[in-house]
Amino acid sequence: MAKIVCVLYDDPVDGYPTSYARADLPALTQYPGGQALPTPKAIDFRPGELLGSVSGALGLREFLQDLGHTLVVTSDKDAPDSVFERELVDADVVISQPFWPAYLTAERFAKAPKLKLAITAGIGSDHVDLAAAIAHGVTVAEVTYCNSISVAEHVVMVILSLVRNYIPSYQWVVKGGWNIADCVARSYDLEGMVVGTVAAGRIGLAVLRRLAPFGVQLHYTDRHRLPEAIERELNLTFHPNAQSMVPVCDVVTINAPLHPETEHLFDDTLIATMKRGAYLINTARARIVDRDAVVRALESGQLAGYAGDVWYPQPAPADHPWRTMPHHGMTPHISGSSLSAQARYAAGTREILECWFDGRPIREEYLIVDGGKLAGAGAHAYSVAKTAATV
Ligand code: NDP
């Protein structure tokens, strides 16, 4: 029997919900492009419930207990004497999420001799030291596509929020004011602006598609060029790298994985080449930008706004400078954890576990590391030459 250690974010401060704002979720039949939604044999939760927090347990409790496995669910993950650190030593499977990452460092792999499978209940396995996973023969899998559209919607939301100066305007209302001039002195139309994405994978392309009706000029850079038909359909301008794209953009959105090629890509030097007053959106990973360079650029006016939901480390400390820098639209890491996304990543996690217990292959598109090398989606999107250190 296996021991599964699952690290999830805390329940709401008012307790686990007993009712929800909406009765159900729209029924989707497939992901854009045709990839199948998760296909577990069964689920023990109602789509639309809070599954990503400790009490939700990704809807796995009954399933694992019925099979006789041991499930430990905790949010206590960082300190050397944390529940995660203690339970890891004899764990067979670790499940974690990018929103509340259980950083699986080389040191932690060394302390977990039985560990065979690390599942990311979401997308983005950079909290796992992939080189160490390869060295220890651990399979790493994530639920590819489960929240790509959720994130794309968030990107569109924050682009509009920053450009239209929505957040300060909302705050004037809450404060009891009617300060139109204060609200509009930083408010513009998105129409006509040049918007560029660093990476046009599942999220980046979904952002491009959603922005096309706004009458913007769309640019992108990626390691692989999109099919010509898509470039024509969306009237896209391709750039060979971020360096050649950002100087022409009014808005830049980052949608690439964190790996050695992208770590600290947006530093003082690259940001200085952007248009003065550009907006930078990052829902990918915090360490793709230089934390303090972003603060400096907002303070100097080089950037007119910065928004996203990814921080380093997570949870962000109370004194993280992004909480107080000017003209930001930051949230905690939530874009990929809507109740809609949770239903998909919980079902996908169960699908991966069912395959693992049955000895069936895990879908190629879910695999990041397998058989001692990058595999599946991981072989396509990641590199491990100098795997970004996870601490
Ligand atoms: P995909 O794998 O579909 O797309 C990633 C794209 O990034 C691929 O097209 C890949 O290129 C491209 N890419 C990789 N390296 C570079 C580079 N150096 N320069 C330009 N492009 C590059 O993933 P998703 O779109 O689903 O997700 C992207 C990232 O978003 C995830 O890795 C994760 O970090 C983040 N994410 C954040 C979430 C959140 O809640 N905030 C939730 C989900 C994801 P190619 O494959 O062509 O080589």
Side-chain angles (χ1 to χ4, degrees), residues 98-99 122-126 142 144-149 151 154 197-205 221-226 240-242 254-262 265 282-285 288 308-310 333-337 377 379-382:
F99 324 107
I123 303 174
S125 297
D126 49 276
E142 61 185 44
T144 305
Y145 230 142
C146 64
N147 55 15
S148 302
I149 302 303
V151 177
H154 191 98
T197 175
V198 177
R202 294 174 183 84
I203 296 173
L205 179 57
T221 180
D222 197 293
R223 297 198 302 189
H224 300 92
R225 206 157 163 169
L226 288 166
N241 50 43
I254 304 172
N255 298 296
L258 172 65
H259 61 130
E261 284 172 31
T262 55
L265 176 63
N282 180 13
T283 51
R285 285 296 179 263
I288 297 177
D309 66 330
V310 285
H333 194 160
I334 56 163
S335 67
S337 201
H380 194 72
Y382 286 86

Side-chain angles (χ1 to χ4, degrees), residues 26-283:
L28 306 180
T29 49
Q30 58 177 32
Y31 293 115
Q35 184 184 310
L37 294 163
T39 51
K41 290 181 207 162
I43 52 169
D44 298 319
F45 60 84
R46 193 177 59 77
E49 288 173 351
L50 180 61
L51 300 165
S53 73
V54 170
S55 295
L58 295 174
L60 294 172
R61 203 176 290 284
E62 225 178 296
F63 160 65
L64 291 173
Q65 282 171 0
D66 286 354
L67 290 175
H69 300 303
T70 304
L71 173 66
V72 176
V73 186
T74 182
S75 63
D76 182 23
K77 68 186 181 73
D78 288 327
D81 61 345
S82 60
V83 173
F84 177 56
E85 189 94 20
R86 285 203 306 274
E87 298 287 351
L88 183 63
V89 295
D90 58 350
D92 300 278
V93 179
V94 165
I95 304 172
S96 175
Q97 295 191 289
F99 324 107
W100 190 261
Y103 295 109
L104 264 178
T105 58
E107 294 71 33
R108 280 178 161 171
F109 273 109
K111 287 182 191 164
K114 292 178 71 184
L115 187 61
K116 287 283 169 294
L117 175 64
I119 302 176
T120 302
I123 303 174
S125 297
D126 49 276
H127 59 284
V128 180
D129 184 326
L130 298 183
I134 288 170
H136 288 266
V138 175
T139 294
V140 181
E142 61 185 44
V143 190
T144 305
Y145 230 142
C146 64
N147 55 15
S148 302
I149 302 303
S150 323
V151 177
E153 290 187 1
H154 191 98
V155 172
V156 173
M157 174 181 80
V158 292
I159 289 175
L160 287 167
S161 301
L162 290 184
V163 173
R164 303 301 308 234
N165 207 34
Y166 169 70
I167 299 166
S169 307
Y170 169 80
Q171 285 164 342
W172 275 113
V173 167
V174 174
K175 283 186 287 196
W178 190 258
N179 300 48
I180 295 176
D182 290 285
C183 299
V184 300
R186 292 185 68 88
S187 174
Y188 298 88
D189 290 354
L190 183 62
E191 186 178 31
M193 287 192 177
V194 177
V195 183
T197 175
V198 177
R202 294 174 183 84
I203 296 173
L205 179 57
V207 170
L208 292 169
R209 285 195 184 290
R210 278 154 184 74
L211 286 177
F214 282 89
V216 291
Q217 299 171 54
L218 295 171
H219 291 231
Y220 81 101
T221 180
D222 197 293
R223 297 198 302 189
H224 300 92
R225 206 157 163 169
L226 288 166
E228 226 183 297
I230 296 182
E231 288 195 350
R232 261 202 315 275
E233 175 201 337
L234 298 173
N235 194 19
L236 302 179
T237 303
F238 173 75
H239 297 263
N241 50 43
Q243 285 75 7
S244 62
M245 185 185 79
V246 303
V248 302
C249 293
D250 301 291
V251 180
V252 173
T253 157
I254 304 172
N255 298 296
L258 172 65
H259 61 130
E261 284 172 31
T262 55
E263 190 168 8
H264 291 148
L265 176 63
F266 281 79
D267 56 9
D268 284 306
T269 310
L270 186 63
I271 293 173
T273 69
M274 297 174 75
K275 279 189 184 176
R276 186 171 172 81
Y279 303 89
L280 183 58
I281 312 301
N282 180 13
T283 51

